[in-house]
Amino acid sequence: KAEKREHNAKPEVKAANKAKQREYNATRNATPEVKAKRREYDAKRNAKPQGKCEQAAHTLHQRAKGAPCATTEELLQLWHSQQGRCGITHIPLSPAEAHLDHIEPVSKGGVHTIDNLRWVLGWVNRAKGDHSDDWIREQLSKYELRELA
């Protein structure tokens, strides 16, 4: 085992392994049939809030590891209560671009319950990271987004 680890740690072996992995991924995903099936699946899954909520609830349950977390029904109710708009910018959302945002970030003690969640635009959620609402609003105001709350 130690010899194999040493062998795999060599830069030239690492590079060769990465090249093999890229080649495998390219051939596995490259066929038009596979791409079409993937696009069709993604389109069906993300076309309606229900599918997006099921997907998000599944992810939350995996991350919560037995702790209380939001259900699919709660996430769908949240979607409707926000009227399909971003919880930070109030820009209309499509299910495909919607992300769940933890109001109090998990890294700062936030939980996966419905009281701590809201639907936001994906790029807003990535920009916010684990910062506060005030911070992200200040950053967004620099770009003069008119739909801010």
Side-chain angles (χ1 to χ4, degrees):
K1 283 186 172 181
E3 288 177 9
K4 187 169 185 164
R5 267 186 291 213
E6 287 176 18
H7 172 75
N8 288 339
K10 294 178 182 176
E12 62 273 7
V13 173
K14 281 184 176 181
N17 287 342
K18 281 186 178 182
K20 285 179 188 176
Q21 187 64 46
R22 276 194 302 274
E23 183 180 324
Y24 168 77
N25 288 342
T27 57
R28 182 180 70 122
N29 298 327
T31 64
E33 295 83 18
V34 170
K35 286 182 178 179
K37 281 184 181 179
R38 218 173 249 137
R39 277 194 303 273
E40 182 181 325
Y41 174 80
D42 288 343
K44 283 181 184 176
R45 187 78 168 153
N46 292 325
K48 298 178 182 172
Q50 178 68 27
K52 188 68 173 190
C53 292
E54 288 170 359
Q55 183 182 15
H58 176 73
T59 302
L60 286 176
H61 285 282
Q62 286 183 323
R63 291 181 182 170
K65 298 178 183 169
C69 64
T71 65
T72 301
E73 293 79 24
E74 289 174 323
L75 294 174
L76 192 56
Q77 286 175 346
L78 180 62
W79 178 274
H80 292 301
S81 72
Q82 287 184 216
Q83 300 173 345
R85 292 182 166 270
C86 174
I88 294 175
T89 64
H90 302 288
I91 294 172
L93 285 169
S94 74
E97 64 188 359
H99 282 213
L100 272 178
D101 174 48
H102 289 82
I103 298 165
E104 175 74 22
V106 174
S107 64
K108 296 184 178 177
V111 292
H112 300 292
T113 59
I114 199 66
D115 298 339
N116 192 40
L117 297 170
R118 64 181 159 204
W119 291 104
V120 298
L121 290 159
W123 64 267
V124 172
N125 195 33
R126 287 187 295 275
K128 179 181 177 254
D130 67 352
H131 296 285
S132 69
D133 284 1
D134 291 337
W135 182 87
I136 191 64
R137 283 194 174 99
E138 180 183 323
Q139 301 306 308
L140 293 173
S141 69
K142 293 176 184 176
Y143 298 100
E144 299 181 14
L145 287 174
R146 299 287 177 221
E147 302 239 1
L148 291 175

